[in-house]
Amino acid sequence: MRLAEALAERKALDARLSSIEGRLRANARIQEGDAVSEDPERLFALLDSTAEELRTLMVRIARTNRETVVDGRPLADWIAERDVSVRRFNILSGIERRSADDVRVVPVIDVVARKHEADALAARIRGIDARIQATNWATELC
């Protein structure tokens, strides 16, 4: 299984856990005299098996990310850099010069310079993300 396929499977397992949670909530308590639509004990067993399947897959993904080296760095390092860069970009791009209802607002930072910084960061994020995606499709899961 390729790393990219494992990531898609991780997302599907996470969604399945959310579905099981909702089904458990709907069947854990019912009005007296009503019947449950699904056996809660079967749902708990399904929860346990799905959670274990997700845990095992997440461990394999993490191991693969640590052991796969791209341009001299573990893939996990590239992922961390991308994720932190995305956070920084979102903060930088959220800084606005002024809004229409401002009375007299003057910037205390160099907005243009920060905009250029955000643009450079966006380009870096795209490059890192492309590298990560290419590696995900080329790498077998450990």
Side-chain angles (χ1 to χ4, degrees):
M1 172 186 302
R2 299 275 183 202
L3 181 54
E5 294 167 315
L7 294 169
E9 179 65 17
R10 180 183 68 184
K11 184 176 180 179
L13 286 169
D14 190 52
R16 189 178 317 152
L17 277 178
S18 293
S19 171
I20 294 168
E21 177 186 14
R23 292 160 56 196
L24 271 168
R25 288 184 190 282
N27 288 282
R29 294 172 45 156
I30 59 170
Q31 187 172 342
E32 188 176 355
D34 286 351
V36 294
S37 59
E38 291 186 83
D39 177 16
E41 291 307 316
R42 191 185 74 68
L43 289 172
F44 279 116
L46 185 58
L47 170 67
D48 291 343
S49 65
T50 304
E52 178 57 22
E53 189 177 350
L54 178 60
R55 186 200 64 77
T56 300
L57 185 61
M58 289 174 72
V59 166
R60 291 180 67 198
I61 289 168
R63 183 179 304 123
T64 303
N65 287 342
R66 284 190 312 270
E67 294 178 6
T68 302
V69 177
V70 179
D71 295 335
R73 294 173 58 194
L75 183 58
D77 289 5
W78 288 108
I79 293 167
E81 182 179 342
R82 179 202 55 197
D83 292 350
V84 170
S85 294
V86 166
R87 294 271 322 262
R88 281 191 74 231
F89 172 79
N90 289 337
I91 291 167
L92 289 173
S93 62
I95 298 171
E96 295 183 22
R97 217 178 288 219
R98 62 177 286 158
S99 65
D101 60 348
D102 289 337
V103 177
R104 172 90 171 126
V105 176
V106 293
V108 294
I109 60 170
D110 185 346
V111 176
V112 173
R114 293 299 177 181
K115 175 67 173 132
H116 289 307
E117 183 180 350
D119 291 344
L121 200 50
R124 175 83 176 141
I125 291 165
R126 286 190 301 275
I128 293 171
D129 200 47
R131 179 178 283 133
I132 290 169
Q133 295 304 319
T135 303
N136 287 348
W137 283 106
T139 303
E140 286 292 326
L141 194 63
C142 291

